[in-house]
Amino acid sequence: MRRIRVFDATLRDGEQAPGNAMSPEQKLALALKLEEIGVDVVETGYPGSSPSDFKATQLIAQSLTRAGFATFNRCSREDIRLSMEAAGDDPRHQVQVCCTGSDIHLRHKRGITRAEGLREIDDSVRFARSLGAVDINLAVEDASRGEHDWIRALVGTAVEAGATAVTLADTTGFAVPQEFGELIATVRACVSDDIVLATHCHDDLGLSLANALAGLAAGADEVQATLAGIGERSGNTPLEELAAVLSYKSAVLGMDTGLRTELLDEAYVMLADAIALDRPRNKAVLGTNSFATQAGIHQAAMLQNPVTYEFIKPESFGRRRSLLVGRHSGRSILRHLLAQLSVPADDDLVGRLYQEYIADRPGGECDELDVLRDRLASRLGVTPATGAGA
């Protein structure tokens, strides 16, 4: 069973998306929760970008006791200097140096040649080492659109200069799993096993998790992910979905993360409160309806055994099962509630209640079971606690 490393990028890539700004104190609280969950590295932010990110990095670096912490930097001595000033030369401090992985970015974003790109990588990695950094990650931006010979040249230059890790980014969500797996395999073949190889996948085509899994199958050691998949544009590999797949499919994939998945919803609530994020209805693991159902056929089976329509156990992720009564519910849910109230469920009564509380229900509104049980108790003149006549 391979232990997959998890690098959480919520506080940097996640936070830099529109509407996701957090205070240093909010970042610290989330960082401590992420450490409790068991992530290996918490990305603190980009200290060179603002005083807020500098302060957040200081707070997080001083407070984490187990997890590593990473800073984001351009190939810039000033960026690296500020990161080292904020987070220090603690061995747990990973200095990420972001380089340019595609000719598209070289030409249209940076306006530099390949030779200049290699020189700035060599200088930046060596400068970080001169300041005491021992864990240096070459983060290759837009790697999925880069030619493989160029990616190998970037990685080779960085490793020779002293880099200890490499992250390959599908920055624009360009790749499909086959393409991204081939990229990871290309780099894995040209670096030693002690170089940590990580994925950083965006979700523009809805493939961030699939690409990360393809990267792991091709030899990556680590996945960069964010809570609820927040991040630039369509976001990043969702931390909770990665944890779910590697937990529930560990025997198939031969991989696991060791994360405390039952704490992920608590972390999500903290994040949602911090950035005013509405919980979506249909998101995997964390969605409002992830463990809820109102379909009558499903509910009839789940009342016998939840495993019939529930592969992932809600308690595994700090959630709870919810059988909701709505227009698509059936008579079985009414019989279940009548049994709880100790009221005989004859067909005539069930039929009348079905028409009144289910069939004639307007629109898409739903009720929790206990709400409908109380309504039925009032309607039938019994007390919900005992089922006895009023």
Side-chain angles (χ1 to χ4, degrees):
M1 187 68 66
R2 288 172 58 199
R3 166 68 162 80
I4 300 303
R5 290 170 50 89
V6 176
F7 177 116
D8 186 272
T10 305
L11 307 182
R12 199 276 302 174
D13 195 316
E15 195 232 10
Q16 72 186 27
N20 291 352
M22 289 176 260
S23 69
E25 292 73 23
Q26 288 171 324
K27 282 191 169 187
L28 173 61
L30 270 168
L32 292 171
K33 177 58 70 174
L34 289 165
E35 180 179 57
E36 185 182 4
I37 288 170
V39 304
D40 297 279
V41 182
V42 176
E43 190 173 23
T44 66
Y46 176 8
S49 68
S50 69
S52 178
D53 270 24
F54 187 93
K55 181 180 179 182
T57 297
Q58 284 184 314
L59 291 174
I60 293 169
Q62 293 164 5
S63 302
L64 295 183
T65 59
R66 179 199 59 78
F69 41 91
T71 53
F72 182 87
N73 307 271
R74 297 167 298 179
C75 282
S76 157
R77 287 192 170 206
E78 180 62 11
D79 279 5
I80 294 167
R81 184 188 66 76
L82 286 169
S83 284
M84 293 300 292
E85 184 180 332
D89 59 1
D90 188 308
R92 292 180 300 145
H93 175 198
Q94 182 179 96
V95 178
Q96 289 192 104
V97 177
C98 183
C99 72
T100 307
S102 71
D103 289 320
I104 296 172
H105 277 214
L106 284 171
R107 183 178 305 115
H108 300 293
K109 175 187 174 182
R110 300 294 314 287
I112 62 175
T113 65
R114 284 187 173 190
E116 289 172 318
L118 292 176
R119 282 198 295 271
E120 68 179 16
I121 288 170
D122 182 76
D123 180 72
S124 297
V125 173
R126 293 185 189 278
F127 181 68
R129 286 182 61 83
S130 75
L131 296 183
V134 295
D135 188 4
I136 303 169
N137 183 342
L138 180 74
V140 186
E141 185 180 24
D142 207 26
S144 56
R145 292 195 293 177
E147 295 181 6
H148 285 199
D149 64 338
W150 171 236
I151 303 300
R152 286 193 295 268
L154 292 171
V155 171
T157 298
V159 170
E160 185 177 348
T164 55
V166 173
T167 298
L168 300 178
D170 184 25
T171 303
T172 63
F174 160 86
V176 297
Q178 179 180 342
E179 291 173 306
F180 196 72
E182 289 171 354
L183 174 64
I184 291 289
T186 293
V187 174
R188 182 80 278 172
C190 70
V191 297
S192 59
D193 291 342
D194 61 338
I195 300 295
V196 174
L197 184 55
T199 71
H200 181 102
C201 299
H202 280 260
D203 207 37
D204 299 71
L205 288 176
L207 293 172
S208 62
L209 177 60
N211 284 336
L213 293 173
L216 292 175
D221 309 293
E222 177 180 271
V223 174
Q224 294 195 356
T226 62
L227 270 171
I230 67 168
E232 288 286 4
R233 300 179 316 281
S234 300
N236 295 270
T237 304
L239 175 63
E240 66 284 353
E241 293 180 20
L242 174 74
V245 171
L246 295 189
S247 174
Y248 277 82
K249 292 293 184 179
S250 59
V252 175
L253 299 174
M255 309 173 194
D256 198 1
T257 62
L259 295 180
R260 296 182 62 189
T261 58
E262 72 277 7
L263 300 179
L264 282 166
D265 195 65
E266 291 180 24
Y268 173 76
V269 171
M270 292 175 62
L271 173 67
D273 287 345
I275 65 174
L277 182 66
D278 292 331
R279 193 188 289 264
R281 288 183 185 175
N282 62 334
K283 190 168 191 321
V285 180
L286 295 179
T288 302
N289 290 342
S290 295
F291 302 102
T293 182
Q294 66 144 336
I297 295 174
H298 292 196
Q299 290 179 338
M302 292 182 72
L303 288 170
Q304 300 301 314
N305 190 329
V307 75
T308 51
Y309 283 96
E310 191 177 81
F311 168 57
I312 300 175
K313 291 181 172 59
E315 58 271 20
S316 298
F317 292 90
R319 306 292 306 281
R320 67 180 183 87
R321 181 180 307 112
S322 180
L323 298 182
L324 298 169
V325 181
R327 191 167 57 84
H328 297 287
S329 296
R331 291 169 173 79
S332 60
I333 202 73
L334 293 171
R335 292 190 175 93
H336 171 74
L337 292 175
L338 290 173
Q340 289 186 342
L341 295 170
S342 299
V343 174
D346 64 79
D347 290 344
D348 286 344
L349 175 61
V350 170
R352 292 197 305 273
L353 295 177
Y354 174 80
Q355 195 66 37
E356 181 177 351
Y357 290 98
I358 294 177
D360 293 340
R361 181 179 291 268
E365 79 174 43
C366 296
D367 287 324
E368 293 278 356
L369 284 191
D370 57 348
V371 172
L372 183 58
R373 184 173 60 245
D374 289 345
R375 289 179 181 172
L376 292 178
S378 177
R379 168 80 165 70
L380 299 172
V382 299
T383 57
T386 65

